[in-house]
Amino acid sequence: MSGEENRSWARWGQDTYLLFLLFALCAGIAAGYVLPFLPFGGQVLCVALLAVIAAVGVFRGRAWTGILLLLLAFAVGIFRMQAVWQLPETDISHFAKQEVRVKGTLTEEPRRTLDARGQERVRYTVEAQKVRTGGVEQKAGGGLYVYAAAPKDGALPQIGDTVTARGKIRTPHGYLNPGQIDTELLLRADGITASLAAGKAGATFEQNTNPTAYQRLQRVLSQVRQHYRDRMGEVMPKEDAAVLFAMLFGGYDGIKPEVVEDFTTTGIVHILSVSGSHISLLAAATAWLALLLHLPRKATGALAVLFIALYAMLAGCVPPVLRAAIMGSLAFLAAVLGRERDARRLLLLSGLMMLLVSPLLLFHISFELSFAATAGLLYLAPAWGKGMVRRGIPRALAGSLSITLAAQMATLPLLAWYFHQVSLSSLLANLFVVPILEGIIVVCLAAGLIAFVLPFFGKGIFLLSSLAFGLAEELTHLFAQMPGSQVWVPVLPLPLCAVFYAVLALSALSEEERGRLWQLAGKWGRKKEKLWKGLGAGMACVTVLFAAASLFRPAELTVHFLDVGQGDAALVVTPHGHAFLFDTGGVREGRFDVGSRVDVPYLLHYGIRRVDAVFLTHAHEDHAAGCGGILAKLPVGAVYTAGEGVQAYARSMRLGDASPFLLKFHPAQQGQKLSVDGVTIEVLYAPQPSGTASGGGNEFSNVYRVSYGAASFLFTGDLVAGQEQRLLEESISPKATVLKVGHHGSDTSSSAAFLRAVSPQAAVICVGRDNSFGHPKPVILERLREAHIPYYRTDEDGAVVFHTDGKRLWQETYTGREAEE
């Protein structure tokens, strides 16, 4: 082998070892998250001991040093994760569930939003300084979101001003369902540990007349962003201005939901947030400018880093922007200085450094997608582009195709886990829409600067950009409506993910590198021929055993109780895969659609792409509103309702009176039965509303029972005790194996007589964490304990899944917690 080949293989080996170090650090961070807290002193001693031994090994050139360094990276990952996860005693999150007055410093520009009723609210990002509770004021720390009504005079505080608000402290809590983005980890990675909803008094502000230099800089940058927003708003529709502002500086405020939906469907929604693509675009524009000015390479690199730094500050210096700026700057510098191969090493080093500083980034979807996509562009795109050119594809087209495919394939397992879908229309969108949008970004950045000195010309450029965006928007909508624009992809098990990325890694190697790898593998294989044969035979046996187990496994019914917050939602899947929903949840502040954002991802996570029927107990939003999002996203055979009338459900789901979805709605009739795959669904009780009733939908909740062999599940909605008594008086037997406890554990339901009649082996309480109703009520929990009924709670256990073959019953929970008795 030549000296150049030896150096090439040495570099390849170093890069591979860096990758293993990164994997070891990530494994340690994950272990630190799931393990109980270990003694701090013991962790420090362990890390120090490993570091000393590793240093000795490096100094003496020992062969075992590499393994020891991997162990050190693993131990450091555990240490850093547990150190970050333990919050100081003064952190604002320690005042959770308490009514307090918080005073703190505004750290980001206030964000205006609209709640579900269309009323304007403002979110303030505050670094807590003092908290007052029980008449005592004490020091506090940590970041929190303060939500309050918009000031009547419209005046908002500036970064560095003091914000004071009263309300109850809540800790971040997402939906505890598989495949759901972990909101708590996401916010913790951004430094947010609590939130507070201010009451009618709202928030008050105190101007800081002596801000720090950084706060003064942030105020200036905020004024610059407002300048862009105002100039665009003067010459284009506010919806277009909202999208163009998001393309420049990130954020979804004011963007029409259908635009976000089209961008998501076509795989280009990242353009609405400042990401690596923005940094790459800015670097490319800088390179073009440097070429025009005949600047040397080093000057080009310095200019690009300067522009990227200024843009990152203008975009608010929020963590995702900083991460993208760091990785983009390193990659561009390596490319400009002719050290493209070093860009890969810089990516790995930057990943190691970022995770060491902030280990919670490992669980942040922005970091995961950004890192994977950048790795795809650096490792896969060059090799794939060259391969396409060799096969006769034009170089320009090959470059665009390889970049799109590399980013898509590198992030595929993550897209499958979080979104369960991959966009097939993204190729068309990247070819025809993204160049237009990228041109708009560059032109609008320049237009804002021009508007400072020549307002008329700047606004004219903004107007032309709005027209160009109209074309891009129409193309995006066209591609989004194409048949098969999105396809469902299953969640990949961890071993399959490893195989998938191994295949991608092999495809990124050059022919010489692959040849050398096969040569080494061949030598090792000849020495270990018997081992290879043994492994092959073992894998064949395992495959046969798994196939036999699947073939002879008894047909199962699964019943899932989803965590939808303060609401009810349950999924029933028959032995042959037919899916039925019993209530769908649907209440949350703001414009958050539980149906499309919680129910649908849960269904797709389990491979369910069609719902045979939805059975709604009544029209209240916390039971029925989510159905609207499901109808819009997935095929649904029919929707069975209680007797309030179709319009009550249309209002709950925010459907128009002429919506074609309403044709699927049918009132369920008491005694009605449906049998599928040996599973029987019966409308056990369907009380009819009367003109004299005063209890609303709760008074008239339908009761459904699902039976399979000896196992049965009872869904009672919000049925009140009076209706429970009437059900029993009509000699209807509600006996069931599992009871969905009525009305989220309210003391208006679940009478002792009704619990005795049901006589369940287990119960599930669908309830939201820290809800304002105090559900479940202590008296109901005590009543369940007295009846010796073990119960689960979706606010603590997350999704609860029961399995039954018609004889036996077993269950699992998202958190792994055992039932309370």
Side-chain angles (χ1 to χ4, degrees):
M1 187 183 293
S2 67
E4 179 60 32
E5 287 178 319
N6 279 325
R7 286 191 294 272
S8 174
W9 271 98
R11 287 194 300 267
W12 188 79
Q14 292 167 2
D15 292 348
T16 303
Y17 187 72
L18 273 178
L19 184 62
F20 283 134
L21 277 177
L22 183 59
F23 284 158
L25 181 64
C26 291
I29 293 171
Y33 178 63
V34 299
L35 288 173
F37 284 115
L38 304 173
F40 180 78
Q43 290 191 59
V44 172
L45 182 62
C46 178
V47 169
L49 183 62
L50 286 172
V52 169
I53 298 174
V56 172
V58 169
F59 180 75
R60 296 186 177 180
R62 302 300 186 187
W64 44 260
T65 306
I67 300 295
L68 197 63
L69 286 173
L70 294 177
L71 288 174
L72 177 61
F74 181 78
V76 168
I78 295 176
F79 171 70
R80 286 293 300 132
M81 181 61 199
Q82 298 210 337
V84 168
W85 193 250
Q86 296 187 67
L87 295 171
E89 292 182 0
T90 57
D91 191 85
I92 189 66
S93 62
H94 293 306
F95 297 91
K97 302 182 181 181
Q98 298 184 43
E99 290 285 343
V100 302
R101 188 189 73 175
V102 175
K103 180 181 289 187
T105 303
L106 187 69
T107 58
E108 291 183 14
E109 194 174 346
R111 178 179 171 183
R112 296 177 183 268
T113 59
L114 293 177
D115 63 17
R117 295 180 295 275
Q119 297 177 343
E120 189 177 43
R121 295 181 65 82
V122 181
R123 189 189 79 185
Y124 305 98
T125 304
V126 176
E127 181 68 25
Q129 293 177 329
K130 294 181 180 180
V131 61
R132 187 178 188 86
T133 178
V136 178
E137 187 172 78
Q138 52 190 299
K139 292 180 65 176
L144 78 155
Y145 286 148
V146 174
Y147 297 91
K152 293 181 180 180
D153 59 3
L156 294 176
Q158 294 182 297
I159 293 173
D161 287 349
T162 299
V163 177
T164 304
R166 296 177 182 272
K168 181 180 287 188
I169 294 294
R170 300 179 186 273
T171 52
H173 180 72
Y175 295 95
L176 303 178
N177 300 316
Q180 201 81 37
I181 295 175
D182 193 320
T183 304
E184 182 179 5
L185 283 172
L186 204 66
L187 292 176
R188 282 287 296 272
D190 291 336
I192 303 297
T193 60
S195 66
L196 179 147
K200 293 182 180 179
T204 58
F205 318 113
E206 181 181 337
Q207 186 177 3
N208 181 3
T209 57
N210 188 30
T212 64
Y214 178 74
Q215 289 171 344
R216 285 196 294 270
L217 174 62
Q218 286 295 320
R219 290 182 177 186
V220 170
L221 296 174
S222 178
Q223 291 170 359
V224 173
R225 289 193 294 272
Q226 189 60 44
H227 159 77
Y228 274 87
R229 185 185 283 113
D230 292 342
R231 299 295 82 77
M232 288 190 290
E234 291 171 355
V235 296
M236 64 179 75
K238 63 178 183 179
E239 293 85 1
D240 287 4
V243 178
L244 265 61
F245 186 85
M247 288 166 52
L248 295 182
F249 306 117
Y252 290 77
D253 298 347
I255 303 178
K256 294 184 292 186
E258 49 268 31
V259 173
V260 177
E261 181 70 22
D262 287 343
F263 274 56
T264 302
T265 301
T266 53
I268 59 172
V269 73
H270 63 275
I271 210 79
L272 300 178
S273 303
V274 178
S275 60
S277 61
H278 289 69
I279 303 302
S280 299
L281 175 63
L282 187 61
T286 305
W288 177 83
L289 179 63
L291 186 65
L292 193 67
L293 298 176
H294 302 287
L295 295 178
R297 282 191 169 190
K298 292 184 178 180
T300 301
L303 188 64
V305 171
L306 175 63
F307 283 171
I308 290 172
L310 290 174
Y311 180 64
M313 288 190 292
L314 190 56
C317 281
V318 292
V321 175
L322 292 177
R323 292 193 293 269
I326 291 171
M327 287 191 285
S329 298
L330 292 174
F332 184 75
L333 278 176
V336 166
L337 299 177
R339 307 291 295 271
E340 290 86 351
R341 191 178 186 94
D342 287 343
R344 304 176 182 179
R345 188 174 302 173
L346 288 171
L347 173 68
L348 297 175
L349 287 172
S350 63
L352 280 167
M353 293 300 105
M354 288 181 184
L355 289 173
L356 280 171
V357 173
S358 179
L360 285 169
L361 287 179
L362 180 64
F363 308 102
H364 201 298
I365 183 175
S366 171
F367 175 79
E368 293 168 359
L369 291 174
S370 178
F371 190 87
T374 305
L377 297 179
L378 291 177
Y379 283 89
L380 302 178
W384 291 3
K386 291 176 182 178
M388 291 177 184
V389 171
R390 285 197 301 269
R391 288 165 175 79
I393 298 177
R395 187 174 297 276
L397 181 60
S400 180
L401 282 173
S402 63
I403 289 172
T404 301
L405 290 175
Q408 191 85 281
M409 295 302 287
T411 56
L412 180 62
L414 296 170
L415 295 173
W417 175 256
Y418 287 117
F419 307 111
H420 320 291
Q421 291 178 328
V422 169
S423 174
L424 294 184
S425 56
S426 63
L427 182 58
L428 291 173
N430 277 279
L431 286 174
F432 297 104
V433 178
V434 170
I436 299 175
L437 298 178
E438 289 179 341
I440 290 173
I441 291 173
V442 174
V443 168
C444 283
L445 282 173
L449 298 177
I450 293 172
F452 275 113
V453 292
L454 298 171
F456 177 79
F457 288 103
K459 288 192 286 188
I461 298 173
F462 277 134
L463 179 60
L464 293 175
S465 298
S466 176
L467 296 175
F469 173 72
L471 172 62
E473 184 180 16
E474 289 299 321
L475 286 174
T476 304
H477 183 69
L478 175 65
F479 295 149
Q481 297 302 312
M482 292 174 59
S485 59
Q486 273 191 326
V487 296
W488 171 79
V489 289
V491 174
L492 301 180
L494 192 59
L496 194 56
C497 284
V499 172
F500 177 82
Y501 280 117
V503 172
L504 289 185
L506 286 174
S507 71
L509 298 177
S510 65
E511 291 185 8
E512 294 79 11
E513 289 171 332
R514 271 199 294 269
R516 178 62 177 165
L517 190 62
W518 298 138
Q519 184 180 359
L520 291 174
K523 290 180 179 178
W524 189 85
R526 284 191 294 271
K527 294 179 180 179
K528 310 290 184 181
E529 186 175 354
K530 290 183 178 180
L531 178 60
W532 279 113
K533 290 180 178 179
L535 286 174
M539 290 180 65
C541 290
V542 170
T543 303
V544 170
L545 288 174
F546 270 106
S550 301
L551 187 63
F552 294 105
R553 184 176 61 187
E556 287 181 8
L557 170 75
T558 56
V559 179
H560 308 240
F561 294 89
L562 285 65
D563 175 16
V564 291
Q566 184 66 12
D568 280 9
L571 166 67
V572 173
V573 183
T574 69
H576 292 150
H578 292 278
F580 300 89
L581 285 169
F582 290 81
D583 284 341
T584 58
V587 169
R588 176 168 157 167
E589 291 184 2
R591 295 189 170 185
F592 187 92
D593 182 1
V594 169
S596 61
R597 302 278 293 277
V598 180
D599 295 331
V600 170
Y602 190 92
L603 294 171
L604 293 176
H605 180 83
Y606 285 98
I608 294 168
R609 289 171 282 168
R610 183 183 187 279
V611 177
D612 289 72
V614 177
F615 293 86
L616 299 174
T617 58
H618 61 296
H620 283 179
E621 288 189 356
D622 58 333
H623 293 254
C627 187
I630 297 170
L631 288 166
K633 292 282 189 177
L634 296 175
V636 176
V639 179
Y640 295 97
T641 69
E644 301 101 323
V646 172
Q647 296 309 315
Y649 289 90
R651 288 192 299 272
S652 178
M653 301 176 198
R654 295 178 177 82
L655 299 176
D657 292 342
S659 171
F661 291 138
L662 298 181
L663 298 176
K664 298 176 180 286
F665 287 50
H666 311 282
Q669 302 299 321
Q670 187 167 315
Q672 188 175 358
K673 291 185 179 182
L674 174 67
S675 295
V676 180
D677 298 342
V679 177
T680 300
I681 301 172
E682 57 183 318
V683 184
L684 200 65
Y685 184 60
Q688 296 302 308
S690 64
T692 60
S694 60
N698 292 352
E699 292 279 352
F700 304 102
S701 286
N702 282 356
V703 178
Y704 303 104
R705 183 165 56 193
V706 176
S707 304
Y708 182 57
S712 55
F713 300 81
L714 193 69
F715 303 93
T716 61
D718 286 349
L719 195 72
V720 295
Q723 289 294 338
E724 292 174 353
Q725 182 62 31
R726 289 183 186 178
L727 181 151
L728 297 177
E729 289 174 353
E730 292 184 20
S731 299
I732 298 173
S733 172
K735 189 170 179 59
T737 312
V738 177
L739 168 68
K740 198 291 298 179
V741 174
H743 202 184
H744 323 292
S746 168
D747 53 12
T748 61
S749 302
S750 305
S751 64
F754 188 72
L755 290 179
R756 284 195 300 269
V758 178
S759 187
Q761 296 178 16
V764 178
I765 306 172
C766 295
V767 63
R769 179 178 173 183
D770 298 335
N771 66 85
S772 58
F773 305 99
H775 295 161
K777 295 294 185 179
V779 64
I780 297 300
L781 300 182
E782 182 59 30
R783 196 173 293 166
L784 291 169
R785 284 191 286 265
E786 288 177 354
H788 303 290
I789 302 171
Y791 61 87
Y792 299 91
R793 300 172 48 164
T794 56
D795 62 333
E796 296 180 353
D797 300 301
V800 183
V801 183
F802 289 88
H803 303 261
T804 179
D805 57 5
K807 299 176 183 178
R808 299 174 298 116
L809 181 74
W810 61 100
Q811 61 281 329
E812 57 184 311
T813 65
Y814 179 77
T815 61
R817 203 172 69 99
E818 295 294 330
E820 293 190 36
E821 298 186 12

